[in-house]
Amino acid sequence: EHPAEKDIRLAMLLKYLGNLARDSGDYEKAKELLKKSQALYTEICGQNHIEAARVMHDLGKKYLLEGDLKAAESLLKNTLTIVEKTQYPDAYRVLETLADLESKKATLEESKGNTRQAQTHKAQATAYLKKALEVAKTHLLEGSAHIRRIESKL
């Protein structure tokens, strides 16, 4: 077995375990595992490889759930750049997560009484969702649960 194959499997396992930790609310463990996974993928495949981007997306989702919107936005926008360059079919997922980020920003601005900024974030969330829907309809079967989920958010 080639050493890179072993490292790829380790990166996959770390990503899986990181997402499991994130989903169970252990954000520190998730961050540790996902960062290790991303480092391995980046080392083996390069920083613009789709697998490195997928882990970056997972890390962005972790930061979003944790409430660190700046870190989430940076990772998610970098991920979007990579998936758009590679024309990755699951780009709709990144766009949908960016819409969630903008919705969270809108809620925060509303709570501060900043109606104008809240509206701007809501409009950006809608724009991301429309783009996500367009990408999903291009790559997924009509009537897909993913398409219906995005449509329900619009």
Side-chain angles (χ1 to χ4, degrees):
E1 173 178 45
H2 192 277
E5 288 177 29
K6 187 176 179 184
D7 289 343
I8 288 283
R9 286 204 311 271
L10 177 58
M12 289 170 63
L13 179 61
L14 289 168
K15 178 181 183 276
Y16 174 79
L17 291 172
N19 286 330
L20 202 59
R22 181 197 67 213
D23 294 346
S24 65
D26 189 349
Y27 298 132
E28 282 307 308
K29 190 66 166 173
K31 180 168 67 172
E32 173 192 336
L33 294 166
L34 290 169
K35 282 188 172 191
K36 285 180 182 178
S37 175
Q38 184 183 22
L40 275 172
Y41 276 125
T42 299
E43 180 184 321
I44 298 162
C45 306
Q47 70 182 29
N48 292 324
H49 191 273
I50 197 61
E51 288 303 327
R54 290 174 73 186
V55 177
M56 198 182 313
H57 179 232
D58 291 339
L59 262 171
K61 285 171 40 176
K62 186 231 51 110
Y63 283 114
L64 178 59
L65 290 169
E66 202 173 34
D68 187 343
L69 304 187
K70 283 189 181 204
E73 184 170 27
S74 175
L75 286 163
L76 293 170
K77 286 189 173 181
N78 287 339
T79 304
L80 183 62
T81 299
I82 295 168
V83 298
E84 285 181 335
K85 277 184 199 171
T86 60
Q87 297 180 341
Y88 186 61
D90 280 359
Y92 72 90
R93 293 178 191 265
V94 179
L95 290 160
E96 201 174 355
T97 306
L98 279 163
D100 292 342
L101 172 76
E102 291 297 330
S103 293
K104 197 163 197 171
K105 285 180 173 183
T107 301
L108 286 172
E109 291 300 334
E110 281 176 345
S111 72
K112 296 178 193 173
N114 298 330
T115 308
R116 188 168 293 176
Q117 279 109 344
Q119 289 300 84
T120 300
H121 290 300
K122 284 179 184 178
Q124 185 60 57
T126 300
Y128 280 134
L129 286 172
K130 285 180 179 177
K131 193 169 181 182
L133 184 60
E134 179 184 318
V135 171
K137 284 184 173 181
T138 300
H139 296 286
L140 302 175
L141 293 174
E142 189 177 329
S144 156
H146 301 291
I147 291 172
R148 288 194 311 271
R149 183 186 62 246
I150 296 166
E151 288 173 335
S152 74
K153 293 179 179 183
L154 282 169

